[in-house]
Amino acid sequence: MRSWHFKAIHETLVIMNNKISYLLSTVRCMHRCNSVLASKSSAATRKRVLWICRYREPLENVNFRQLLLNIFLPFHGPSLRFLSQKTDVFSTGAKIEPEKSTEALISEETPQSSLELEKLDDSGSPKEKHIAGHSELFYSSLRKCTCPSDALDLYSSAVSIKHFTNCLTMVWRLFKNLSEEQQRYEKQLIFEHPAFVELCQRLLRDARRMMRGDLVFSLHALVNLGVPQNTLLVQTLVRVCQEKLNQFDNRCISVLATTLSGMDKDKNVSALQAGLQLLVEQRIASIRDIFILHNLMKCMGRDAPVFLKKKLEMAVLKEIDHLTFPNALRMFLALVAMNYCSIPILNACSKKIQEHIHDVPFRQLIVILDACCSLQYRNVKLVSALADYVNSTACIWDKRQIMLFLSACETLAFQPTELMGIFAEKVTEDPEFLNLKNLMIVLRVYSRLNYVPRDQKHLFFETLHSCLNKFLPQISNTELLKAVYSFCILGYLPNHALDTLMQKDSRNELLLSDDLHKEQKEIMLHCVKVCMELDSPSFTKPAFVLTKDSSSLVSLNLRKAREALIELLGDENMFQQNVQLPYKYHIDFEIKMDSDRKKVLPIPATDDHTDSSVHRLALLFVPPSAFCLGSTHPQGKLAMKKRHLNKLGYHVILVLNKKFQEMTNEDAVEFLKGKIYPENPSPPSEVIMQDNN
């Protein structure tokens, strides 16, 4: 019995001796760590350790209270995982039970009073009142900050995680309000500030203890401040967001979605985005805020499934009555991000923008037009309202701004006639602002939209031609071809530039065998050569034009026109179809009439081409894309073809094929009758406003 008693005492002493050894070892570790940290205290060294993550002091970020608990409780939880250890990526196809972190272990086994610094309720104890008073003073000082460095200077007075995250958020809020030049300077000051490095280390250590709002706002601030995405700090916060995703409310989801939309795709970000998409599918019915829906739409992006895009669309439409002007502007960008053209949403947003047209910044005008182009959204009322606004305020915009607006209109094929006239006057008065890039933009816009100033046509062309001549020594072959091509479409021949272009063509410098755009350049060069011949002042109308009936087959979109012509003229021998002309021109139907255009003449087997009394009609059935938006004004290429057919002796009749196909057979016959016979004027339905409304 006594031997057993001594044996028990011996075992107890051994256990106590082991614990004392653990304690002494811990004290030595703490002593060594303090000496290491003292020698590594410079801001530059800590910055290198934090961002590069290639070399880290092994105990630099150890929480010693956690270390003590792990020493004395070695069998009650996992061993300490150092913060430099890489985190795993969640697998979206399997159920994963995340390993409990040291922070979770402490929160389970530590008395609640140990976390009293984070409790700022009014329970009445003197210590808590002191903490509450300190927090009020801290937040008051934080609100008075005027630059990011001021907010970082308050880091030393922060005592809780809430203080640290609010400090970081304030840094970002002050930073985003600066100009681009100021941001470049302040960004360097922020990253070199000693408190910023300490703040990031603190966030890294306390990531899993953050409240959900602090977590997402901290990640949002760090990403937007330009902290590299592949750093341990950002990746840790992304991983913690994965773990706490189901705890996020709608506001946190909105902030997280905004953050993810600005991050590059990697394993952790993709996993978090996939989890967010599943969460959005579950909660979409409960989200009633258009601003939150806008952020989710941008985050889901073009890769989101169609059913989710439709769910988001329906959620927005439910709240469309509460649409505000700022949200209307944002919704255009959200739909572009999703690559989803929702006509009801866009129409509502367009109406709201038109109501507040004078509040739209110039940059947003360009954004709206670009969004309409990306979504293929054609709203004539919206674009016309924007053009009228710029036209009425043209005196406050400089020439470069008006040029950019016209370029955005050109992508929509919309011709703002009055504004183009005003800009043409500005160009002729002061052409010095036209560098080569601006000149190419002006030529492209005016040629495609087929606009020529009425009063100063010759002066406008001469001004542009003179500017082009200045750049001939330095212009590339491709730009020279594009510039001359634009002039030719407008019906003007720039002689000096044409001579230079033809010299390059004779030396085979324009069309290279390995050029990716060789086919397009061949078409442009062919048009230039045709214009040199047909638009030349020495060109005379030919007595006859050699035509060729290429095929008796008629395409599907022209069968209705053929049947209507047969019913109107009585016989298919009264017209020709699919006619090929010289210069590679093609017309859909050719009709020959007497000189008074009162009688249609049959097409004989042997045509007398020398008969000057024959009046030739060319019917062209063209798509809506050949006209300027909202009108029957032909764009540049079609206008050039019409001009050249006139030179060849044809009277050209343009028919909008889409509208023609929508007519009944009787209406189609009457329409063509009004076009062919001048005594029956065309019905007003020819002018079509191509609009989504």
Side-chain angles (χ1 to χ4, degrees):
M1 184 70 177
R2 183 176 298 176
S3 61
W4 176 84
H5 180 69
F6 282 114
K7 183 177 180 181
I9 292 174
H10 176 72
E11 292 177 353
T12 301
L13 291 174
V14 170
I15 292 174
M16 293 178 63
N17 185 43
N18 290 337
K19 289 186 177 182
I20 292 172
S21 299
Y22 288 140
L23 179 60
L24 292 175
S25 299
T26 301
V27 173
R28 294 190 187 100
C29 287
M30 294 173 64
H31 180 72
R32 287 197 300 268
C33 183
N34 287 335
S35 62
V36 169
L37 290 175
S39 63
K40 300 285 184 178
S41 60
S42 68
T45 305
R46 282 184 294 179
K47 181 180 176 182
R48 175 181 177 274
V49 170
L50 181 63
W51 299 128
I52 300 179
C53 297
R54 294 181 178 176
Y55 172 77
R56 300 178 60 85
E57 294 296 335
L59 294 176
E60 180 177 344
N61 285 319
V62 173
N63 187 317
F64 294 104
R65 181 168 170 272
Q66 299 173 19
L67 182 60
L68 288 171
L69 287 174
N70 278 307
I71 290 172
F72 287 107
L73 301 170
F75 302 105
H76 292 280
S79 59
L80 179 68
R81 297 175 62 191
F82 292 99
L83 295 178
S84 61
Q85 181 178 348
K86 292 293 182 182
T87 57
D88 298 327
V89 181
F90 270 127
S91 172
T92 58
K95 183 178 180 181
I96 295 181
E97 295 293 334
E99 177 185 336
K100 282 187 177 180
S101 63
T102 306
E103 291 84 353
L105 179 64
I106 295 173
S107 63
E108 291 176 4
E109 300 193 12
T110 305
Q112 195 70 14
S113 60
S114 65
L115 302 178
E116 62 185 356
L117 286 180
E118 296 183 21
K119 292 185 176 181
L120 300 179
D121 56 355
D122 298 328
S123 58
S125 66
K127 189 172 184 179
E128 288 167 345
K129 288 183 179 180
H130 173 71
I131 295 173
H134 178 79
S135 293
E136 185 177 351
L137 180 62
F138 176 81
Y139 291 128
S140 177
S141 302
L142 199 61
R143 285 191 293 269
K144 296 178 182 178
C145 294
T146 58
C147 68
S149 297
D150 292 345
L152 289 174
D153 290 339
L154 293 177
Y155 169 78
S156 59
S157 59
V159 296
S160 68
I161 298 177
K162 178 70 70 173
H163 291 177
F164 300 137
T165 55
N166 276 269
C167 182
L168 178 62
T169 304
M170 180 58 70
V171 170
W172 158 239
R173 288 178 180 175
L174 295 171
F175 179 81
K176 71 177 181 179
N177 293 329
L178 301 175
S179 64
E180 292 185 6
E181 184 177 355
Q182 290 174 325
Q183 284 183 356
R184 286 193 294 269
Y185 176 72
E186 282 292 338
K187 186 175 181 179
Q188 183 178 0
L189 293 180
I190 291 172
F191 284 176
E192 293 178 352
H193 200 292
F196 185 71
V197 180
E198 296 178 8
L199 177 59
C200 292
Q201 290 176 341
R202 185 61 183 260
L203 294 176
L204 183 63
R205 183 168 68 248
D206 296 334
R208 285 180 172 82
R209 297 176 60 199
M210 291 184 189
M211 300 295 290
R212 57 192 182 188
D214 298 334
L215 179 63
V216 294
F217 275 104
S218 297
L219 178 61
H220 177 73
L222 290 170
V223 170
N224 285 280
L225 283 172
V227 176
Q229 183 176 322
N230 60 351
T231 55
L232 181 62
L233 174 59
V234 174
Q235 292 296 320
T236 299
L237 294 180
V238 170
R239 176 60 186 272
V240 176
C241 286
Q242 294 177 20
E243 297 173 358
K244 296 186 176 183
L245 187 58
N246 288 328
Q247 304 173 19
F248 289 175
D249 58 12
N250 291 343
R251 181 167 175 263
C252 293
I253 290 176
S254 174
V255 177
L256 181 60
T258 304
T259 306
L260 291 178
S261 62
M263 298 180 69
D264 298 329
K265 293 294 181 65
D266 58 27
K267 292 182 178 180
N268 277 336
V269 171
S270 298
L272 180 55
Q273 193 164 15
L276 181 62
Q277 179 175 317
L278 295 175
L279 188 62
V280 169
E281 293 176 16
Q282 297 173 2
R283 296 191 187 178
I284 188 68
S286 64
I287 301 177
R288 301 297 177 86
D289 192 326
I290 291 183
F291 180 75
I292 294 178
L293 292 170
H294 152 265
N295 290 337
L296 294 176
M297 292 165 72
K298 288 188 68 176
C299 179
M300 296 299 102
R302 61 180 62 237
D303 296 330
V306 177
F307 76 89
L308 180 57
K309 294 180 180 180
K310 291 183 177 180
K311 281 186 176 182
L312 289 168
E313 177 188 18
M314 296 308 298
V316 172
L317 290 176
K318 288 180 181 178
E319 305 298 324
I320 204 68
D321 293 336
H322 305 292
L323 182 70
T324 63
F325 170 63
N327 284 338
L329 294 175
R330 297 188 189 102
M331 194 55 63
F332 271 90
L333 296 179
L335 291 171
V336 170
M338 280 206 313
N339 192 27
Y340 187 74
C341 182
S342 172
I343 300 300
I345 294 178
L346 289 171
N347 286 343
C349 293
S350 299
K351 184 178 179 181
K352 183 65 66 173
I353 291 173
Q354 292 175 57
E355 294 173 356
H356 299 80
I357 189 68
H358 295 284
D359 298 326
V360 182
F362 180 82
R363 185 171 179 272
Q364 291 297 326
L365 296 174
I366 306 298
V367 170
I368 293 171
L369 294 176
D370 289 343
C372 290
C373 179
S374 299
L375 296 172
Q376 297 183 359
Y377 175 63
R378 304 293 187 258
N379 189 326
V380 179
K381 293 181 180 179
L382 172 63
V383 184
S384 299
L386 298 179
D388 291 341
Y389 168 63
V390 176
N391 182 46
S392 63
T393 58
C395 57
I396 67 174
W397 311 114
D398 59 34
K399 291 184 285 291
R400 181 178 175 275
Q401 288 176 312
I402 298 178
M403 182 190 67
L404 292 177
F405 182 83
L406 292 177
S407 179
C409 289
E410 181 259 337
T411 60
L412 288 172
F414 177 77
Q415 186 196 70
T417 307
E418 294 184 8
L419 186 61
M420 295 184 76
I422 292 174
F423 183 73
E425 292 180 3
K426 291 180 178 290
V427 169
T428 54
E429 293 173 358
D430 180 24
E432 296 300 324
F433 84 100
L434 287 177
N435 55 27
L436 180 58
K437 180 180 178 181
N438 293 345
L439 176 63
M440 298 300 295
I441 293 176
V442 172
L443 288 173
R444 187 190 74 240
V445 170
Y446 278 76
S447 62
R448 185 190 175 188
L449 298 180
N450 184 29
Y451 180 85
V452 178
R454 294 182 179 179
D455 300 332
Q456 298 179 332
K457 174 180 177 180
H458 184 72
L459 179 60
F460 180 67
F461 285 150
E462 287 296 326
T463 302
L464 297 180
H465 186 197
S466 176
C467 292
L468 178 60
N469 290 338
K470 291 192 303 183
F471 299 115
L472 285 181
Q474 64 193 66
I475 195 172
S476 66
N477 294 340
T478 301
E479 289 176 329
L480 176 61
L481 176 59
K482 290 181 179 179
V484 173
Y485 174 72
S486 297
F487 272 114
C488 291
I489 285 182
L490 291 170
Y492 179 82
L493 299 178
N495 296 322
H496 187 32
L498 271 173
D499 294 339
T500 304
L501 183 68
M502 291 299 102
Q503 290 176 8
K504 292 179 179 292
D505 180 47
S506 63
R507 296 194 298 263
N508 297 323
E509 296 177 3
L510 293 178
L511 304 177
L512 303 179
S513 58
D514 57 345
D515 193 344
L516 298 177
H517 306 285
K518 181 180 179 180
E519 183 177 354
Q520 181 182 1
K521 291 181 179 180
E522 287 177 344
I523 296 174
M524 295 170 65
L525 186 60
H526 169 74
C527 289
V528 169
K529 293 180 179 179
V530 171
C531 290
M532 290 176 63
E533 182 174 349
L534 296 182
D535 292 331
S536 173
S538 60
F539 179 80
T540 57
K541 178 181 175 180
F544 68 92
V545 178
L546 182 63
T547 62
K548 178 181 178 182
D549 192 351
S550 61
S551 174
S552 60
L553 297 177
V554 181
S555 61
L556 292 175
N557 61 342
L558 294 178
R559 285 184 180 179
K560 186 173 184 176
R562 181 176 182 274
E563 294 172 358
L565 286 174
I566 292 175
E567 183 175 349
L568 176 63
L569 303 178
D571 190 355
E572 61 181 3
N573 292 325
M574 304 298 289
F575 61 89
Q576 280 184 301
Q577 58 192 23
N578 292 335
V579 180
Q580 295 292 336
L581 301 178
Y583 309 105
K584 297 184 179 180
Y585 279 128
H586 165 271
I587 57 179
D588 297 319
F589 298 98
E590 179 184 4
I591 299 175
K592 295 184 178 181
M593 305 182 71
D594 60 2
S595 58
D596 297 329
R597 285 187 63 183
K598 293 183 178 180
K599 181 181 179 181
V600 176
L601 304 177
I603 306 295
T606 304
D607 196 359
D608 185 6
H609 296 291
T610 61
D611 190 355
S612 59
S613 63
V614 175
H615 200 88
R616 288 174 292 186
L617 304 183
L619 271 67
L620 302 180
F621 289 78
V622 294
S625 58
F627 296 98
C628 290
L629 179 64
S631 71
T632 54
H633 181 75
Q635 293 185 31
K637 292 181 180 179
L638 181 58
M640 179 182 66
K641 180 178 180 179
K642 182 180 178 181
R643 184 176 71 245
H644 289 169
L645 290 179
N646 289 335
K647 292 287 186 71
L648 294 175
Y650 283 92
H651 175 77
V652 181
I653 298 176
L654 299 179
V655 181
L656 189 54
N657 196 34
K658 180 181 178 181
K659 181 66 176 180
F660 185 82
Q661 296 298 328
E662 296 172 355
M663 296 179 182
T664 62
N665 293 335
E666 293 78 8
D667 291 340
V669 173
E670 289 298 321
F671 177 83
L672 292 178
K673 184 178 180 180
K675 285 291 184 181
I676 295 173
Y677 299 101
E679 65 269 19
N680 295 312
S682 301
S685 60
E686 181 193 3
V687 179
I688 300 169
M689 303 297 284
Q690 183 192 351
D691 199 340
N692 295 112
N693 291 327

